[in-house]
Amino acid sequence: MREAFVKTMTEILDEDPLSALVLADISAGAFGHVHSDRLINVGIREQLMVGVAGGLALTGLRPVVHTYAPFLVERAFEQVKLDFGHQGVTGVLVSVGASYDWTEGGFTHMSPRDVTLLDSIPGWTVHVPGHRDEVPALLRAAVASDDQVYIRLSTQENREAHPAGLHLVKSGWGGPLVVAVGPMLDRVLEATAGLDVSVAYAATARPLDTEALRELAYTNEVVLVEPYLAGTSAHLVSAALSDRPHRLLSLGVGREELRRYGTPADHDRLHGLTAEGIRASLDAFTAQRVNS
Amino acid sequence: MDSLLELRRRFTGDDKHLPSATSTMEVLWTLYDRVLHIDPDNPDDPDRDRFFLSKGHGPALFYSVLAAKGFIPAEWLDTAATVDSPLGHHPDRVLVPGAEMSAGSLGHGLPLAIGTALGLKAQGRLEPRVYVLLGDAELDEGSNHEAIAFAGAVGLDNLTVIVIDNQSASHGWAGGIASRFAVNGWTTSTVNGRDLDAIEAALTPLSRRPHAVTAIVEPKNA
């Protein structure tokens, strides 16, 4: 996905004289072929990176800010909060690393809390592409808009691209609606093989299309499978279905600090996010309904 | 200047005339009266100079200057910090005409100013200059040092920082404030922060590097 971002962003810088890109060394080498005074690498200075982007926006430019997820959203969170929204200007954040793309790097390079944090500030659109081919259109639309947009890139991806909005991928008759966000789709489809459930996909996590959710969740059972902190979108599902009895299971990355390295597959297993883990959680959720 | 203090009194009520309460007065007045190319009738002119009050606390004099120069009605000062007033104890640029940044949390003005200075250059706007006012204690914030090093390294010559030094930093600045900028490639001036002519002269740099002016006033706790 990073390569798709670099290619598309390079094109945007060339095509759009009001676009700009601010880096803090991460991916600077990948943009080494770009020679523009709207490509600014501030060095390893993430607070400055976001502040500079806010200043560019104050002059009418459309800044894209890019680095590793924990350094972009967590380390520079006050700058994201104050140097964009509170100044009355907007920008586009594009991260790599996701929740644990580089598990060998340990806890400092994991960012399962990024979407939760941005969810605490009003007005942020969040895209979580599930395939590299979803990135160009999302990035172009983000730069062309005046919105606050976060695009969360990952090395985890599905076998094929899908439209970004919440939509049905697999229809069932009586079971829960399983909502897979971004790279979670393929494993959700594997986990639900042979089960009477419906599966929906969304790359656009904010705003979540709750109208579509209400329509698709006609059995009043929803299972959220998100590639970041478990329960990040639970409040939206609860609000969307507040006028009718419903059950909700929220799967995602756990809150505890595991203090483990290993591979992303190892961490998928530890967080119950393999196809097998998701299936086990689904079976338990379904059994709970039967027994209640 | 007396009229400025009258305006300020409308914001603060009881005015004790403490030097620390007016530490920015001469610098602000010099900027708005002699230096900045700005027009209250065209406050969004893309070719205007920009002034960022990064040290956003205690903005009474800033508001008073904006009122004196016609950016905001003086009547706004009478109801400041009430629920329907656009004027609070930290300025909000969305609410206050002429305010270039929303301030309050320290250490945000200089990075925003650097982005603005870069953005102006990238759009071929080479005439406007970007000014930022910091406090000496505000330099404690690490974001300023990210910014000072970067602006010096790229030779951002349309940027001027003014540091009001009233010795309020808890641990001081060994070697002096100016040296923090000079070592990173800035030109520097140190002036009496009560001397209008000296301030004006210091705010007129001729080099192709970013410029830092340290304006010394009475110690905060004197």
Side-chain angles (χ1 to χ4, degrees):
Chain A
M1 288 190 201
R2 190 199 307 232
E3 290 73 18
F5 164 65
V6 171
K7 180 176 184 298
T8 307
M9 191 66 227
T10 300
E11 293 167 359
I12 290 171
L13 284 169
D14 188 48
E15 297 162 4
D16 182 354
L18 292 182
S19 64
L21 175 63
V22 190
L23 305 173
D25 270 5
I26 297 289
S27 298
F31 284 100
H33 59 287
V34 177
H35 301 287
S36 168
D37 51 9
R38 288 175 285 110
L39 168 57
I40 299 158
N41 176 19
V42 299
I44 307 172
R45 301 180 174 96
E46 288 83 8
Q47 296 182 76
L48 178 65
M49 172 184 66
V50 179
V52 162
L56 294 171
L58 286 170
T59 70
L61 294 181
R62 179 65 169 158
V64 175
V65 191
H66 167 70
T67 191
Y68 227 71
F71 314 138
L72 178 60
V73 179
E74 294 179 326
R75 188 179 188 117
F77 184 68
E78 190 186 64
Q79 278 71 25
V80 171
K81 181 183 71 170
L82 297 182
D83 296 349
F84 284 123
H86 190 48
Q87 303 302 330
V89 295
T90 61
V92 180
L93 309 181
V94 179
S95 73
V96 288
S99 290
Y100 46 76
D101 279 357
W102 191 35
T103 43
E104 296 92 333
F107 188 69
T108 57
H109 284 61
M110 299 177 184
S111 190
R113 295 160 185 80
D114 53 352
V115 177
T116 299
L117 280 167
L118 287 175
D119 203 23
S120 69
I121 313 175
W124 279 88
T125 294
V126 177
H127 297 304
V128 188
H131 189 275
R132 66 193 69 183
D133 290 347
E134 297 172 21
V135 174
L138 292 172
L139 180 61
R140 286 186 174 280
V143 174
S145 77
D146 288 325
D147 299 332
Q148 312 278 24
V149 183
Y150 177 48
I151 302 177
R152 187 185 204 258
L153 308 181
S154 178
T155 55
Q156 305 294 309
E157 60 181 337
N158 303 312
R159 282 184 293 272
E160 59 186 41
H162 293 266
L166 182 71
H167 66 279
L168 206 58
V169 175
K170 169 185 170 179
S171 296
W173 294 102
L177 172 71
V178 184
V179 178
V181 176
M184 293 292 103
L185 178 60
D186 278 1
R187 66 190 74 185
V188 164
L189 290 172
E190 184 181 344
T192 57
L195 292 181
D196 181 20
V197 301
S198 297
V199 175
Y201 173 77
T204 299
R206 295 292 183 279
L208 189 66
D209 186 349
T210 50
E211 284 301 313
L213 181 84
R214 281 178 61 82
E215 189 176 322
L216 296 174
Y218 56 86
T219 65
N220 295 326
E221 289 186 326
V222 175
V223 178
L224 274 174
V225 187
E226 301 181 276
Y228 30 77
L229 206 62
T232 297
S233 299
H235 69 103
L236 295 175
V237 175
S238 294
L241 303 179
S242 63
D243 60 336
R244 60 204 210 206
H246 63 274
R247 298 176 69 224
L248 170 64
L249 173 64
S250 297
L251 302 180
V253 181
R255 290 175 180 271
E256 66 276 19
E257 181 180 348
L258 298 178
R259 295 190 186 278
R260 301 284 192 99
Y261 297 100
T263 65
D266 290 327
H267 283 249
D268 285 342
R269 179 174 48 79
L270 292 164
H271 290 290
L273 290 176
T274 60
E276 294 76 17
I278 293 168
R279 175 62 177 258
S281 296
L282 267 173
D283 287 345
F285 182 66
T286 305
Q288 197 177 38
R289 177 190 61 201
V290 171
N291 294 332
S292 62
Chain B
M1 299 292 274
D2 287 343
S3 63
L4 208 56
L5 289 173
E6 278 299 317
L7 287 167
R8 177 184 175 275
R9 196 170 292 120
R10 291 172 71 167
F11 180 95
T12 59
D14 181 33
D15 191 339
K16 297 181 175 60
H17 291 284
L18 292 172
S20 63
T22 61
S23 64
T24 60
M25 184 164 66
E26 284 79 4
V27 166
L28 285 173
W29 186 251
T30 303
L31 280 164
Y32 278 83
D33 196 53
R34 303 186 184 185
V35 176
L36 295 174
H37 296 94
I38 50 176
D39 180 358
D41 295 325
N42 190 15
D44 297 324
D45 180 357
D47 284 318
R48 71 191 183 281
D49 287 339
R50 270 72 164 179
F51 170 67
F52 289 79
L53 180 69
S54 187
K55 189 178 89 79
H57 53 282
L61 275 166
F62 176 59
Y63 293 144
S64 302
V65 170
L66 290 181
K69 290 297 181 183
F71 285 93
I72 62 173
E75 292 71 32
W76 284 13
L77 298 165
D78 301 326
T79 57
T82 59
V83 69
D84 292 322
S85 171
L87 306 184
H89 288 284
H90 297 121
D92 184 333
R93 69 177 297 274
V94 176
L95 301 177
V96 184
E100 296 284 2
M101 73 169 286
S102 303
S105 182
L106 297 173
H108 287 260
L110 185 50
L112 283 168
I114 288 174
T116 299
L118 289 166
L120 290 168
K121 280 178 173 282
Q123 294 173 78
R125 301 189 187 283
L126 305 180
E127 291 301 317
R129 193 162 184 86
V130 182
Y131 298 83
V132 195
L133 190 149
L134 310 174
D136 68 291
E138 186 181 4
L139 286 176
D140 290 354
E141 295 285 2
S143 57
N144 286 314
H145 297 276
E146 292 186 6
I148 292 166
F150 173 75
V154 299
L156 201 54
D157 59 2
N158 57 345
L159 176 69
T160 294
V161 163
I162 307 108
V163 181
I164 302 293
D165 182 7
N166 63 354
Q167 298 179 38
S168 57
S170 293
H171 300 285
W173 290 105
I177 289 170
S179 69
R180 307 285 161 157
F181 291 87
V183 75
N184 284 291
W186 295 53
T187 56
T188 64
S189 302
T190 300
V191 297
N192 178 350
R194 300 301 187 189
D195 185 333
L196 300 179
D197 293 335
I199 295 167
E200 181 184 9
L203 289 174
T204 313
L206 296 174
S207 90
R208 295 182 60 79
R209 291 188 281 162
H211 186 58
V213 176
T214 304
I216 297 174
V217 297
E218 305 79 1
K220 181 180 181 181
N221 297 316

